[in-house]
Each structure stands twice: as C-alpha cells, then as structure tokens.
Amino acid sequence: MSGRNRFNEGLAPNRANYAPLTPVSFLPWAAEVYPGRVAVVHGDWRLTWAQVHERSRRLGSALAARGIGAGDTVAVMASNTPHMIEAHFAVPMTGAVLNALNTRLDPAAIAFQLGHGQAKVLLTDREFSPVVRAALELLPRRPVVIDIDDPLASGGALMGECDYEAFLAQGDPDWTAPGPQDEWDAIALSYTSGTTGNPKGVVTHHRGAYLNATGNVVSWAMPHFPVYLWTLPMFHCNGWCFPWTVTLLAGTHVCLRRVEARAILDAIRAHGVTHYCGAPVVHNLLINAPDEWKRGIGHKVRGLVAAASPPAAMIEGMARMGFDITHVYGLTEVYGPASVCAKHPEWQSLPLEEQVRLNGRQGVRYPLQEAMAVLDPQTLAPVARDGETLGEIMFRGNITMKGYLDNPAATAEAFAGGWFRTGDLAVQYPDGYVKIRDRSKDVIISGGENISSIEVEDVLYRHPAVLEAAVVARPDPKWGETPCAFVALREGATATEAELVAFCRERLAHYKAPRSVVFGPLPKTSTGKVQKHLLRGRV
C-alpha cells in the first residue's frame, strides 16, 4: 500500500467546515433560538437567555480589556448564583481558564490555589470576604479583585476595586469572543479534595467539557427546557458540566445559595424543578425532612446521585418519595460523572429491593467516553466478570483531563499504561456493570482477608436508627486490622454499640462486622464526602 489517501488530498479543514468543540457555543445558540425564555432564577431576579448572553459577553469583554486571554487564569469564589453561571461562559470566551474555588476551604488552601493557578483576576462574593482577605494576605502577588455584591449574601464586606455590575458596564455587549484556538485548549482548573498535602490542579479542555456536557443529556435522557436546581456546588468539577448542559437544552437554572432541605423542597414546588444533582448527603436531607415540607410536589423529579457507592437505603428512600434517582460515578479528572448505571426498562417490574441492588452499581461508561474497564492494576488484564474478582476502575477517552498542572510526575502516574487510574477497587458483573468495593486505601485487611468498608457501611445504613456511617481500619494486635464504625444517628433515635455490632453480624460474615462503634457527627469535605483519613487518625 502506498499510504496515499485520496479522501484527504486537497480537503483540509477550514473555517467553513471546522470549528473547535467548546461548550461556550451553547450560549449563543440558546440566546438566538430562545431569547425570551427564562434562563436563570435567583430569588426575585430573572434573566432571559438573551440577557445571559449579553452579560457574559460584557464580562468577557471587560476581562479581555484587562489583558486576560489564552494562558491566563480567572478565579471565582462564589455560591451557586447567576454570576457563577456567567463566568462559566465569559472566562473561556476570552481563551482563559476558569478556576472555580471551593467556598468552604480555609484561607491557606485558597491562597495555595490562587498562587498555584497564578490567577490574574478574582471574582469574589462578599459573603466570603473574611476568608478571601486572609488568603490574599498570604500571597506575594495580589490578583485584580472584583466584588460580587449579591443581595442574597449573608454579611461580608466589599474589598475589590469595583463591583461585578460596574465591571460588566465596562464591557461591550456586542463583543466578538476569540474563544479557544484549539479544542484541546484548557477550559478549567479544578483542585482535587486531597486528604494529605496540597491538592492537585486538574486541567480540563474544551473538547472534554463539550462532550461531557452533551453526555449528561444522553445518559440522563434529559428533555428540552429542564428546570434544574443548583444543589450541586458549581465549584465541584464545574458543576459536573451542568452549567453548559442546561444551557444546551435552553433550560432554566434555579440558583440556590445554601443546601438546606426546606429550601430545596420549596424551590422544587415553587419553580417546578425537574432535575437536580447531589451527593448522598443531599438526598439524605430530603429523605429525613418532615413530611409537611414535602407536600404539594406532585410532578416527577429526577436526581443524579454520585458517590463511591451510595447506600442502598438512600436509593430506596428516594424511590419511596417518588423521586427518580439515577446513579452516576466519576472524579474531578473525568469532568465529574463519566459512568452511569443505565437503567433497563425491564428492571421496573422487579421487586424494589432488587431494583435498588441493580441501580446501586456504578454502571457503564458514558456514551461519549471511549472506555471504562476494571483491570488488574499490575498487569492491566481485565478481571473476570464474576462480581467477585477485584480490580481497579480505569478510564480512557476524550472525557479525561489533560493532566495535573505543573506536576508531571503525578500526571505520568495517573496515566501509566495508557489508562487513567482512579484508585477505586471494583468488581464487574456478567452484564458488564461495575460495582465499587472500596478505595484502594480504604480496604481493611484483617487476618489476611480483605474487607470492603463500603459493604459494611451499606449494612449499617439499613439499621433504622442510622443516619450516616463510615467504616475504617483499626489497628489490632492479633488480626492486624479490624473494622471500626463511626455512626451518626437519626434525630430522636437510639442504638447501642452492641446492637449495631449484632445487626451487622446477622448480615455479614462475622470477621467483616465492626468490632467497635463510635457515635457522633462525621467529618466531611466540602462536597459531602466523609473524611476517612480523619477517622483513621482518631483510631
């Protein structure tokens, strides 16, 4: 073969037949086709798609006038407000990178991220001014600070050179955005919630964000014009790409500054919310809310839940409320969710307990992710699809980060063997669906036997008095390690250590049951994950 391909000769990409994939393109489409539809709800404030488009162009233009462009970072410290949505379009419009900061971090962590990401501009909500002011004092170089003076904020002070609305007024509503020159260009910088040392800066690209935003639509079978409630922080993996997903569908973003059960249920009722996302802690809030708060919600509400393994009791509880819950799985490095427990219609005829078991798995890859596999971490050989053999979940494809900023060693380690290694240990069933058994660091090795902390937690969640549970390894002179359970009880409920241990022994092999139980609230990260490293430190 000559290697000549006549279908390529003289047929090069040009402006007429090629444009870099970017989710920024969803905004002008929504504004052009549905200019008068309500795009954003925030308290009494309403914005149409035409207004969001104009405001985003103004913001992008004002940033560009300050010299912001390709290779620069713009950080945002804000709640789930219209300003955060606009930043998800305006910043990448300039070719710069958006760094959405975790609003629950301390000054030292914020300072590290601002310094490591070399933010040139910081948009910051006045409610977070005490933390931001302290963080800026730790930096040798202060970024340009623009205040977000949200009327729904609680307290705080203005500390920037001007406020957000005044900054927008400096921008051109007809500005033509340069956007990315290449779809591989970075769109966002997100930091992992590391448990030790400094977090790693995950760099994602326009192509991946475009594909994952679209994959959300396909995987969740989302219709046009969803009413989406922002219970998930937009700083978490860019809100799992949903700022772009909802815009693609010309839906309505319903903003929510604080995740509280009554506020969520009131918003669902008042605005006809159809979709929302959240960690198990959000769903547990709703399950345990008083019945009177839930009255009057007669329409179908769909939720995405993501966690290493959401408790079966949580999935069952939401089903009994009438909410349709879909389980997804992913990490910051794969833009949020990159796998989904795709439901089969025939599952609906099964008993609820069996539906819960099937829907509690991490499932299969997103349609636009090239591959998801459970592999032996040493040989990269696929594990047997027997629901028993452990391997590591690995991803490969376009919905995978560029790498870690300024950390080539960590990047090489994450991509060793041509796969992104998640560190999550799982089994694969004959139907191809994946189920996480544990994080590799959370497996308890007792007397040479591996114990899945998640398996023990799932049993504890079935006890009617248990609100939250986490299981970690406790050093043991005889067995090496034994399971220790940390448990938060439901309000007004009681249970003893002996009772919970016996409950687990009735449902598990005895060596898997916890030998000790500690009662009290569980420490969590800003995204609702239990901080097991702190619990391990306590034992």
Side-chain angles (χ1 to χ4, degrees):
M1 297 178 62
S2 65
R4 173 176 174 268
N5 187 338
R6 63 190 182 89
F7 294 101
N8 288 338
E9 293 181 1
L11 304 176
N14 59 72
R15 291 184 61 190
N17 66 14
Y18 173 80
L21 298 180
T22 172
V24 174
S25 65
F26 301 156
L27 180 56
W29 178 87
E32 178 183 344
V33 180
Y34 301 105
R37 287 193 67 88
V38 174
V40 179
V41 172
H42 184 50
D44 296 330
W45 194 11
R46 302 290 185 275
L47 292 171
T48 66
W49 280 114
Q51 290 172 317
V52 173
H53 189 210
E54 177 186 327
R55 288 170 59 85
S56 298
R57 281 184 293 176
R58 283 185 179 275
L59 177 56
S61 170
L63 289 169
R66 294 299 185 99
I68 297 299
D72 294 327
T73 303
V74 175
V76 185
M77 181 80 162
S79 296
N80 289 346
T81 65
H83 320 86
M84 187 65 123
I85 295 168
E86 291 163 3
H88 273 78
F89 291 95
V91 174
M93 278 180 183
T94 69
V97 173
L98 176 67
N99 174 208
L101 297 166
N102 185 329
T103 60
R104 299 163 190 166
L105 294 178
D106 60 32
I110 295 296
F112 169 79
Q113 294 183 19
L114 290 172
H116 186 258
Q118 299 181 21
K120 288 191 173 180
V121 175
L122 169 62
L123 310 176
T124 181
D125 190 305
R126 64 180 169 86
E127 184 171 317
F128 308 113
S129 58
V131 172
V132 171
R133 181 179 288 108
L136 293 176
E137 290 174 355
L138 299 174
L139 292 174
R141 184 185 63 82
R142 174 186 172 116
V144 173
V145 177
I146 307 298
D147 288 309
I148 297 173
D149 191 10
D150 181 10
L152 299 185
S154 296
L158 302 180
M159 52 182 292
E161 68 172 55
C162 70
D163 82 346
Y164 185 90
E165 297 301 325
F167 192 63
L168 256 61
Q170 301 172 16
D172 179 0
D174 298 317
W175 176 66
T176 300
Q181 299 304 303
D182 189 306
E183 58 192 32
W184 178 250
D185 287 350
I187 190 171
L189 172 64
S190 302
Y191 284 86
T192 60
S193 52
T195 57
T196 57
N198 288 321
K200 297 188 286 289
V202 176
V203 181
T204 51
H205 48 75
H206 284 256
R207 179 181 179 86
Y210 179 101
L211 292 172
N212 207 39
T214 307
N216 286 335
V217 176
V218 177
S219 298
W220 208 4
M222 295 181 74
H224 274 90
F225 319 126
V227 181
Y228 182 88
L229 180 62
W230 274 105
T231 51
L232 177 76
M234 280 187 239
F235 65 68
H236 185 39
C237 308
N238 299 104
W240 299 353
C241 294
F242 275 92
W244 302 308
T245 295
V246 176
T247 303
L248 170 62
L249 296 170
T252 300
H253 298 271
V254 179
C255 295
L256 190 68
R257 283 193 70 100
R258 290 172 185 81
V259 179
E260 299 167 344
R262 186 156 199 168
I264 293 171
L265 293 165
D266 287 348
I268 290 173
R269 185 185 306 106
H271 303 295
V273 168
T274 59
H275 295 76
Y276 72 97
C277 299
V281 63
V282 175
H283 301 272
N284 278 335
L285 281 176
L286 302 183
I287 291 170
N288 293 291
D291 288 340
E292 58 266 26
W293 294 2
K294 303 174 186 178
R295 294 194 182 106
I297 300 175
H299 64 282
K300 175 63 73 175
V301 182
R302 293 172 170 83
L304 283 190
V305 60
S309 184
M314 185 277 296
I315 296 177
E316 183 174 351
M318 295 304 297
R320 295 192 187 283
M321 279 180 59
F323 284 37
D324 184 2
I325 302 300
T326 298
H327 181 200
V328 292
Y329 159 74
L331 305 91
T332 306
E333 290 87 343
V334 289
Y335 300 75
S339 80
V340 58
C341 190
K343 298 179 181 180
H344 291 236
E346 55 269 26
W347 292 357
Q348 297 180 13
S349 62
L350 298 173
L352 179 59
E353 185 176 348
E354 179 63 7
Q355 290 185 47
V356 168
R357 185 189 70 80
L358 292 170
N359 289 324
R361 298 179 295 176
Q362 279 59 51
V364 295
R365 63 182 172 89
Y366 258 33
L368 301 183
Q369 178 70 299
E370 273 58 44
M372 171 186 179
V374 181
L375 307 177
D376 182 297
Q378 303 301 321
T379 66
L380 296 182
V383 302
R385 293 190 174 191
D386 56 8
E388 295 292 338
T389 306
L390 275 179
E392 184 178 351
I393 298 179
M394 301 190 192
F395 286 104
R396 173 188 284 167
N398 291 301
I399 308 176
T400 308
M401 66 172 179
K402 289 167 70 84
Y404 298 115
L405 180 64
D406 296 333
N407 198 336
T411 300
E413 182 181 359
F415 290 147
W419 291 87
F420 168 63
R421 296 167 176 254
T422 67
D424 285 322
L425 300 181
V427 297
Q428 196 162 21
Y429 288 89
D431 61 0
Y433 280 56
V434 169
K435 172 71 173 179
I436 288 180
R437 290 299 187 212
D438 228 330
R439 290 289 294 171
S440 56
K441 61 187 177 184
D442 292 335
V443 170
I444 301 164
I445 304 175
S446 184
E449 298 285 348
N450 288 352
I451 301 172
S452 163
S453 65
I454 291 174
E455 182 182 7
V456 184
E457 290 161 5
D458 205 36
V459 170
L460 285 166
Y461 270 105
R462 297 180 204 168
H463 191 283
V466 172
L467 176 65
E468 295 177 322
V471 175
V472 299
R474 183 172 204 156
D476 184 271
K478 179 178 181 180
W479 302 108
E481 296 176 337
T482 57
C484 175
F486 287 81
V487 171
L489 298 177
R490 298 180 188 275
E491 186 175 355
T494 59
T496 66
E497 179 181 55
E499 178 184 347
L500 292 182
V501 170
F503 183 83
C504 291
R505 287 171 69 91
E506 290 171 5
R507 293 161 176 81
L508 292 167
H510 285 191
Y511 75 90
K512 295 183 179 181
R515 301 292 182 92
S516 54
V517 179
V518 180
F519 294 96
L522 306 184
K524 299 185 183 71
T525 68
S526 58
T527 56
K529 298 176 184 176
V530 174
Q531 294 178 300
K532 286 192 173 182
H533 69 289
L534 296 180
L535 300 180
R536 281 191 288 266
R538 289 171 59 181
V539 299

